[in-house]
């Protein structure tokens, strides 16, 4: 007889999913009710307000797409890009490349603005691309590039887009709840995120928000959105307004209890306090890595506090280190992706997992494994350096 599945207990310090707050798991185990039950609809209304708080926006449309971050990305592209539309896409890592794919699959023409992996998007290049393509209708970029740990200046990029009469599509999968994001104040138009990073919820939901001018464009499309499931004109029959709700798909009821709880936790902490906490833990981790002799891929000033990409010391077996951390310490850290595969480790300090205990635990475990393997690092100093950083 096959037995029930009992996963091992890990500490998740990779690029996501991050450790789920036990309050969220408890919320998800509450009784399932109908997706049109008045009590559930009341919870959906609260969820919209909580998402507006998390995104720092006052847009009418703020809702979770019933699928992971990639579906939030597709929601933005399939609803806003029409066949023949020109879209300026910034790429400085893996996820800008996925945006390009999305534009092409929606029948649009991507104009790429490339920056080296590890660097933020260069606003001057974006300005030049928009000047050279006055018919571009959208600027798309990743706020927090999880593949490298680089943070781009969303406020400046959105300001440039507005001057060129473009809407913005912004990936905030890794930034939401972890670093400063002010959707309304910065004038971002179509913004998507994920439940499993700094919200510390289970994976599988994608919060999105659309400005009124983005929604106008969706309403006035000349072609039908080619995806039935993601067509906002239909989805909003269920999530939109505060009046009558029509069946669109069966919402993932218990997963939504979890996201609601995650957002309640964020509201309790205060979003600005959450940003400061992420920064503080990043500073301590950084002090430890630097004491050990590991260097950051991203230049100072553009580093994401929730995703720390550090170079693997010469001659060290990347996969062996990660598997020893998993086996000996139940600790998951991330491998490099794409162009950085085999060159970096990605250490996440996301949401619930961004805490002092994890910082000290990760540094201690990595120090022990690398020292045991004879790696060229400064041994035995990382934890003390991080501890000192908390005192400063
Ligand atoms: N965008 C970014 C920046 C991401 O980091 C991820 C996932 O890691 C995604 C999009 C896709 O999200 P998901 O894996 O939830 O589909």
């Amino acid at each position: 007889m096959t037995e029930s599945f009992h996963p091992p207990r890990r500490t998740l310090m990779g690029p996501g999913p991050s450790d789920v707050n036990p309050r969220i798991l408890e919320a998800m185990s509450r009784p399932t009710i109908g997706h049109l039950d008045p009590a559930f609809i009341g919870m959906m209304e609260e969820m919209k307000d909580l998402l507006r708080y998390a995104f720092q926006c006052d847009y009418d449309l703020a809702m979770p797409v019933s699928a992971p971050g990639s579906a939030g990305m597709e929601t933005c592209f399939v609803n806003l890009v029409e066949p023949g539309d020109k879209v300026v896409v910034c790429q400085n890592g893996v996820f800008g490349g996925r945006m390009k794919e999305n534009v092409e699959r929606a029948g649009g023409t991507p104009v790429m603005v490339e920056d080296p992996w590890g660097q933020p998007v260069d606003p001057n290049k974006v300005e030049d691309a928009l000047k050279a393509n006055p018919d571009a209708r959208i600027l798309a970029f990743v706020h927090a590039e999880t593949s490298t740990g680089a943070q781009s200046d969303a406020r400046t990029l959105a300001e440039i887009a507005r001057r060129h009469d473009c809407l913005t599509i912004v990936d905030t999968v890794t930034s939401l709840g972890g670093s400063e994001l002010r959707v309304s104040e910065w004038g971002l138009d179509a913004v998507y995120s994920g439940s499993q990073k700094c919200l510390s919820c289970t994976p599988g939901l994608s919060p999105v928000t659309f400005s009124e001018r983005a929604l106008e464009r969706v309403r006035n499309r000349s072609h039908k959105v080619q995806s039935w499931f993601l067509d906002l004109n239909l989805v909003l029959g269920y999530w939109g307004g505060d009046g009558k709700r029509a069946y669109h798909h069966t919402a993932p009821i218990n997963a939504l209890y979890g996201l609601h709880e995650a957002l309640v936790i964020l509201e309790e902490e205060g979003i600005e306090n959450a940003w400061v906490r992420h920064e503080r833990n990043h500073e301590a981790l950084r002090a430890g890595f630097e004491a050990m002799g590991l260097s950051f891929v991203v230049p100072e000033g553009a580093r994401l506090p929730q995703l720390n990409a550090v170079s693997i010391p010469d001659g060290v077996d990347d996969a062996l280190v990660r598997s020893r951390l998993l086996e000996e310490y139940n600790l998951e850290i991330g491998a490099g992706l794409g162009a950085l595969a085999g060159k970096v480790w990605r250490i996440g300090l996301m949401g619930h997992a961004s805490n002092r205990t994890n910082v000290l635990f990760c540094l201690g475990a990595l120090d022990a494994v690398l020292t045991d393997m004879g790696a060229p690092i400064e041994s035995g100093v990382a934890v003390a350096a991080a501890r000192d950083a908390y005192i400063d």
Side-chain angles (χ1 to χ4, degrees):
M1 197 84 126
T2 309
E3 292 184 359
S4 306
F5 177 62
H6 291 280
R9 281 199 179 273
R10 310 279 199 211
T11 301
L12 300 181
M13 296 184 69
S18 62
D19 283 336
V20 177
N21 187 320
R23 268 179 64 179
I24 295 172
L25 294 175
E26 193 274 318
M28 291 173 75
S29 69
R30 292 176 193 152
T32 304
I33 57 175
H35 61 280
L36 292 170
D37 187 307
F40 191 71
I41 288 173
M43 190 279 290
M44 289 164 72
E45 284 310 303
E46 283 181 6
M47 168 99 72
K48 291 195 236 172
D49 279 340
L50 288 163
L51 283 175
R52 287 183 194 107
Y53 175 69
F55 278 123
Q56 293 284 288
C57 75
D58 55 9
Y59 301 162
D60 268 356
L61 192 166
M63 53 163 267
V65 175
S66 301
S70 306
M73 184 188 271
E74 293 218 23
T75 295
C76 294
F77 284 94
V78 295
N79 281 280
L80 287 173
V81 179
E82 295 215 50
D85 281 354
K86 209 182 242 190
V87 181
V88 173
V89 176
C90 305
Q91 181 168 17
N92 60 340
V94 166
F95 293 98
R98 290 203 184 168
M99 287 179 150
K100 174 175 185 267
E101 269 283 319
N102 269 272
V103 172
E104 287 167 350
R105 284 167 189 248
T109 306
V111 174
M112 299 306 289
V113 172
E114 312 256 0
D115 278 293
W117 288 47
Q119 295 292 324
V121 173
D122 180 347
N124 295 320
K125 288 190 192 168
V126 171
E127 179 90 55
D128 291 347
L130 289 172
K131 275 187 190 149
N133 295 278
D135 53 339
R137 305 195 77 208
I138 296 171
L139 171 70
F141 63 89
V142 180
H143 183 214
E145 200 16 286
T146 326
S147 59
T148 66
Q151 171 151 229
S152 291
D153 182 351
R155 171 186 229 145
T156 300
L157 295 173
E159 188 267 317
I160 296 169
R162 254 196 323 281
R163 265 196 282 110
H164 290 272
D165 211 17
C166 279
L167 294 177
T168 43
I169 294 179
V170 187
D171 181 319
T172 66
V173 169
T174 285
S175 51
L176 184 69
S179 42
E180 186 178 11
L181 172 66
R182 300 183 189 276
V183 168
S184 281
E185 192 184 316
W186 298 351
L188 312 182
D189 290 301
V191 184
Y192 61 91
S193 190
S195 48
Q196 76 276 28
K197 310 268 187 183
C198 297
L199 297 180
S200 283
C201 187
T202 50
L205 291 171
S206 178
V208 297
T209 186
F210 273 50
S211 68
E212 196 42 45
R213 62 183 200 142
L215 264 186
E216 258 319 287
R217 194 166 297 175
V218 179
R219 289 191 199 105
N220 295 321
R221 285 176 63 97
S222 39
H223 303 77
K224 252 187 179 178
V225 173
Q226 94 273 16
S227 161
W228 177 87
F229 184 63
L230 299 176
D231 183 345
L232 284 174
N233 295 303
L234 307 177
V235 176
L236 288 177
Y238 181 56
W239 273 101
D242 45 15
K244 196 163 159 28
R245 296 302 161 93
Y247 165 68
H248 175 262
H249 64 279
T250 309
I253 314 282
N254 293 58
L256 289 169
Y257 299 164
L259 181 60
H260 181 275
E261 188 69 11
L263 294 165
V264 165
I265 292 168
L266 183 65
E267 190 187 57
E268 282 171 7
E269 179 175 16
I271 189 134
E272 295 189 347
N273 294 333
W275 299 337
V276 170
R277 174 171 54 82
H278 280 84
E279 196 58 49
R280 195 165 160 66
N281 290 316
H282 158 75
E283 282 304 330
L285 187 76
R286 179 179 72 97
F289 279 143
E290 287 179 352
M292 206 188 261
L294 302 190
S295 56
F296 275 76
V297 174
V298 176
E300 204 168 349
R303 287 180 195 151
L304 286 167
Q306 60 276 53
L307 197 287
N308 299 268
V310 288
S311 301
I312 299 173
D314 285 342
V316 168
D317 183 338
D318 163 30
L320 181 60
V321 172
R322 284 184 291 105
S323 68
R324 282 192 61 177
L325 289 173
L326 200 62
E327 282 159 25
E328 296 171 26
Y329 294 86
N330 271 313
L331 170 63
E332 178 182 279
I333 65 166
L337 255 194
L340 295 179
K343 298 183 181 151
V344 301
W345 289 312
R346 291 180 300 151
I347 319 296
L349 283 172
M350 297 180 175
H352 184 63
S354 176
N355 61 59
R356 189 178 190 274
T357 305
N358 278 1
V359 168
L360 301 180
F361 173 57
C362 176
L363 289 170
L366 199 55
D367 186 347
V369 168
L370 289 175
T371 302
D372 188 52
M373 289 168 69
I377 60 155
E378 195 68 42
S379 294
V381 292
V383 173
R387 237 196 266 117
D388 287 349
Y390 281 115
I391 295 162
D392 288 347

